[in-house]
Amino acid sequence: MAASHPASVHLSPTPADRPVYVIGGGPGGLAAAYALRARGIRAVVLEKADHVGASWRRHYDRLRLHTTRRLSALPGLPIPRRFGRWVARDDVVRYLEKYAEHHQLEIVTGVEVHRVERTEDGTGWLLHASGGRELTGSAVVVATGFNHSPRIPDWPGREGYAGEFRHAGEYRDAAPYAGRDVLVVGVGNTGAEIAVDLVEGGAARVRLAVRTAPHILRRSTLGWASQYTGVLVRRLPVRLVDRLAGPVARISVPDLSAHGLPRPDTGLYSRVRQGAIPVQDVGLVDAVRRGKVEVVAAVEAFEDGKVVLADGGRISPDAVIAATGYVRALEELVGHLGVLDERGRPTVHGGRTPSQAPGLYFTGFTNPISGMLREMALDAEKIAKSVAKRLR
């Protein structure tokens, strides 16, 4: 959809055929588009789905933000107070729709960008998109999302496993699992929350396969959201935060070692810097203590219709749900530009642009302790400032 520009915005003299293209109509892309337009720069959002917030629409039903409503809003529009402190998935989608409408963002749906490269004259960017489209932009913001493509480990025997198996990205609610024995693989926030959802939804047995014990935090203690602490400590030295977090965890979260979840032997912030975000407790601690969620060893393989665990155990659940995360899947899009690290992540993000690819920006590919939505909002302003400076 294309929208008219608000009277308060005076567009820059950027050539009409070379807008800034924003790839992805999720929160990061929408925030960047607004921040650019607020500086008088034409921004066109290209979204491969037929609506904004596509990835949020696919999340499981009970999902709520683990960050507060106030610190999750995008630039230029607060999240409505009626959505509550911990905003539900459907309300996030409503907010993103309203955000695009309120700011009259220029969004083209049904267009997937396959490859980004420099124009022949080196002054802009050429986007190769679905339908044979070739689009030329003055700059590009890549906002295709942290949870782009499901990641499933290459477990021996999985391809021949005849039991029910699905990635957590396909999970919606517990109804199909009522009365059944379910194994959830992975104890990140998604795995932990799905395990609790299964218990509350009537699954007969719920087991949670854990390779590395996670740090677990209360989402809120006496009204103080853990996100607030994340914001305060984000710029502190890693070792200092690790030392401070230890005693807090011991006071606020009970020791679950007897139930198979020992306290981690590495610091909380050290793990965050490696990409492991703490698990926000939304019922897991209580479910594990009551034996409703049984912690088992990590999955090693699938063999003879059974799941083989790292401790040598073999189990036969009715269904396996792999909460094993996602990959960014940026290689085809920008991998040839030398802007990704060995794990396929952008080497820069926010307002920084790679020296070998000036005018190319990334947002939404980090998962900071201070909250992803908050950081995407900040990144949007930094990107817009950088683009405006370059265009001048």
Side-chain angles (χ1 to χ4, degrees), residues 22-26 28-29 46-48 55 58 112-113 116 141-149 327-330 333-334 346 361-365 376:
V22 179
I23 307 174
L46 303 175
E47 168 55 51
K48 68 178 181 179
S55 64
R58 296 193 299 267
E112 182 175 8
V113 180
V116 176
V141 180
V142 180
T144 50
F146 192 84
N147 296 336
H148 187 277
S149 300
V327 293
R328 313 295 87 82
L330 292 169
L333 186 68
V334 296
Y361 300 87
F362 296 89
T363 183
F365 295 100
M376 284 193 290

Side-chain angles (χ1 to χ4, degrees), residues 85-104:
R85 192 182 196 196
W86 312 106
V87 184
R89 180 205 64 184
D90 288 350
D91 287 333
V92 172
V93 172
R94 292 187 184 96
Y95 171 69
L96 295 178
E97 291 174 336
K98 181 63 176 179
Y99 190 86
E101 176 187 357
H102 177 80
H103 292 306
Q104 300 182 27

Side-chain angles (χ1 to χ4, degrees), residues 183-203:
L183 172 67
V184 179
V185 185
V187 70
N189 278 294
T190 297
E193 193 154 357
I194 287 177
V196 173
D197 195 43
L198 288 166
V199 169
E200 296 177 354

Side-chain angles (χ1 to χ4, degrees), residues 60-302:
Y60 48 93
D61 292 349
R62 72 169 282 153
L63 177 66
R64 288 181 176 271
L65 292 181
H66 292 158
T67 53
T68 67
R69 171 179 54 82
R70 288 179 179 271
L71 294 186
S72 300
L74 303 180
L77 186 69
I79 297 177
R81 181 175 296 180
R82 68 178 183 278
F83 288 174
R85 192 182 196 196
W86 312 106
V87 184
R89 180 205 64 184
D90 288 350
D91 287 333
V92 172
V93 172
R94 292 187 184 96
Y95 171 69
L96 295 178
E97 291 174 336
K98 181 63 176 179
Y99 190 86
E101 176 187 357
H102 177 80
H103 292 306
Q104 300 182 27
L105 301 180
E106 190 173 351
I107 302 170
V108 183
T109 58
V111 175
E112 182 175 8
V113 180
H114 302 298
R115 184 179 175 90
V116 176
E117 59 189 19
R118 295 292 284 175
T119 54
E120 288 187 4
D121 63 7
T123 62
W125 291 94
L126 179 63
L127 286 67
H128 299 274
S130 54
R133 298 176 179 86
E134 292 190 347
L135 309 169
T136 304
S138 57
V140 174
V141 180
V142 180
T144 50
F146 192 84
N147 296 336
H148 187 277
S149 300
R151 174 188 172 274
I152 298 177
D154 187 20
W155 287 304
R158 192 192 70 79
E159 294 299 328
Y161 180 65
E164 182 178 333
F165 180 97
R166 64 181 56 194
H167 188 269
E170 301 176 271
Y171 179 89
R172 293 295 171 269
D173 59 56
Y177 304 96
R180 303 175 70 193
D181 180 344
V182 187
L183 172 67
V184 179
V185 185
V187 70
N189 278 294
T190 297
E193 193 154 357
I194 287 177
V196 173
D197 195 43
L198 288 166
V199 169
E200 296 177 354
R205 185 177 190 180
V206 179
R207 284 177 281 198
L208 183 61
V210 176
R211 183 171 300 278
T212 304
H215 285 276
I216 302 176
L217 298 176
R218 298 292 188 188
R219 186 168 63 178
S220 178
T221 302
L222 300 176
W224 179 266
S226 64
Q227 183 190 12
Y228 298 162
T229 303
V231 171
L232 292 175
V233 306
R234 190 179 180 204
R235 303 299 180 187
L236 295 179
V238 174
R239 290 184 179 179
L240 174 60
V241 178
D242 284 347
R243 287 200 298 268
L244 294 173
V248 173
R250 285 190 289 273
I251 293 171
S252 60
V253 178
D255 186 359
L256 300 174
S257 299
H259 303 278
L261 275 182
R263 296 192 189 279
D265 55 7
T266 53
L268 183 149
Y269 204 22
S270 295
R271 293 275 290 274
V272 170
R273 296 295 289 270
Q274 296 168 4
I277 294 297
V279 171
Q280 302 278 329
D281 180 36
V282 291
L284 179 67
V285 169
D286 186 55
V288 169
R289 293 178 74 184
R290 292 188 296 119
K292 297 294 185 180
V293 171
E294 306 169 45
V295 178
V296 298
V299 171
E300 288 292 302
F302 292 79

Side-chain angles (χ1 to χ4, degrees), residues 9-61:
V9 174
H10 301 285
L11 295 182
S12 67
T14 306
D17 61 341
R18 286 198 174 190
V20 175
Y21 282 109
V22 179
I23 307 174
L30 297 180
Y34 162 73
L36 287 162
R37 294 204 54 228
R39 287 180 174 267
I41 301 168
R42 184 185 176 206
V44 178
V45 178
L46 303 175
E47 168 55 51
K48 68 178 181 179
D50 58 3
H51 38 235
V52 301
S55 64
W56 281 92
R57 298 171 192 268
R58 296 193 299 267
H59 286 313
Y60 48 93
D61 292 349

